[in-house]
Amino acid sequence: MLCYHAIRQSLKGDSADQKAYSVSPENFAMQMKTLADNGYTAVTPDQLKDFYLHNKPLPKKPIAITFDDGRKDQYTLAAPEMEKYGFKGVFYIMTVSLGKKNYMSRDDVKALADKGHIIGLHTWDHQMVTKYRDSEDWEKQITKPRKMLEELTQRPVTSFAYPYGVWNLAATDSLKNRGFTTAFIFYGKQDPSRPMFTLERINGPDIKNMEKFLKRIGG
């Protein structure tokens, strides 16, 4: 499963993190074309849930194409490239940034949902779930922003991406108790006792060698 953040050219003054989490528009476009040309099918969190809960088969080459944080370039650049090949992405929105510079607007999020892309939650302001102290933290970071996204898209929000990929078993149980059905980590290994709440992802690489790209995703 792939996780992208910024679809942009790296700049000279970028930090190491900015460089690590940026993929150029050209490389992203080549990666989407390569996935399509090699028979991959973009799958949704609900398809993964049905696979784990009901043993419903996945396509031959399934891949979830996910995005964290809700950056504007995911809407203006990434989504149109995916749509060329019929791919649906999963966009995990950090709601504190909606409408701010370089981030999606509410209308952008609704438009993605209306086109069949999946909207998931990435908390209110990117605080690690392992640091929540009480129910007020869960209300602020999870319940309220989730409700806002559901009202905005008129669709249930049942998938979650852990900020920084950090999680623990208590958090997986709390998410399940709140009606979430899937949650994605970032790097690390899937926990066999909580498979749907520890779905693995790798960082989308900023590489133009498509043989290396396919090897990276196990193709």
Side-chain angles (χ1 to χ4, degrees):
M1 310 303 172
L2 285 165
C3 176
Y4 294 96
H5 292 79
I7 310 301
R8 60 185 279 274
Q9 298 286 352
S10 292
L11 304 175
K12 187 176 180 180
D14 281 351
S15 67
D17 278 351
Q18 285 175 314
K19 291 178 181 178
Y21 297 121
S22 295
V23 176
S24 74
E26 295 79 10
N27 287 347
F28 181 82
M30 284 193 294
Q31 291 172 14
M32 295 302 103
K33 184 178 187 302
T34 297
L35 291 175
D37 289 348
N38 283 271
Y40 282 85
T41 300
V43 296
T44 67
D46 278 348
Q47 285 177 282
L48 296 172
K49 176 197 70 175
D50 288 341
F51 171 75
Y52 283 106
L53 280 184
H54 309 300
N55 202 31
K56 189 173 181 179
L58 291 169
K60 186 176 180 181
K61 288 188 173 183
I63 191 161
I65 307 171
T66 73
F67 301 83
D68 283 2
D69 301 339
R71 289 180 54 89
K72 187 77 171 183
D73 48 43
Q74 298 170 4
Y75 175 74
T76 58
L77 298 175
E81 282 298 328
M82 289 190 295
E83 289 161 7
K84 290 179 181 179
Y85 310 105
F87 292 158
K88 302 302 182 186
V90 191
F91 295 83
Y92 291 101
I93 306 299
M94 180 175 60
T95 56
V96 71
S97 299
L98 282 173
K100 294 185 178 179
K101 184 179 179 181
N102 297 325
Y103 288 88
M104 292 187 212
S105 68
R106 294 179 181 227
D107 287 345
D108 296 338
V109 173
K110 186 178 186 307
L112 286 173
D114 288 345
K115 290 180 179 180
H117 297 286
I118 307 303
I119 302 301
L121 179 63
H122 200 40
T123 74
W124 177 60
D125 67 349
H126 214 260
Q127 296 296 313
M128 296 180 189
V129 295
T130 54
K131 293 185 176 182
Y132 300 172
R133 296 164 298 178
D134 50 37
S135 60
E136 290 184 5
D137 287 337
W138 280 92
E139 180 77 10
K140 176 182 178 181
Q141 294 291 340
I142 304 296
T143 304
K144 288 183 178 179
R146 179 194 193 184
K147 182 179 179 182
M148 187 267 281
L149 289 175
E150 290 183 332
E151 291 176 349
L152 176 62
T153 63
Q154 292 298 296
R155 292 167 176 81
V157 173
T158 58
S159 192
F160 182 76
Y162 300 100
Y164 306 102
V166 177
W167 63 280
N168 57 22
L169 292 178
T172 67
D173 291 343
S174 292
L175 289 169
K176 183 177 181 180
N177 291 339
R178 285 169 169 79
F180 287 89
T181 57
T182 56
F184 281 86
I185 61 177
F186 194 56
Y187 294 114
K189 294 295 183 182
Q190 187 179 39
D191 189 305
S193 71
R194 309 287 197 284
M196 292 184 300
F197 290 88
T198 54
L199 294 165
E200 300 174 52
R201 297 185 293 172
I202 62 169
N203 191 37
D206 189 26
I207 54 177
K208 59 183 178 181
N209 184 314
M210 292 300 100
E211 288 184 8
K212 289 183 178 179
F213 172 70
L214 288 172
K215 185 177 181 180
R216 178 77 176 271
I217 64 174

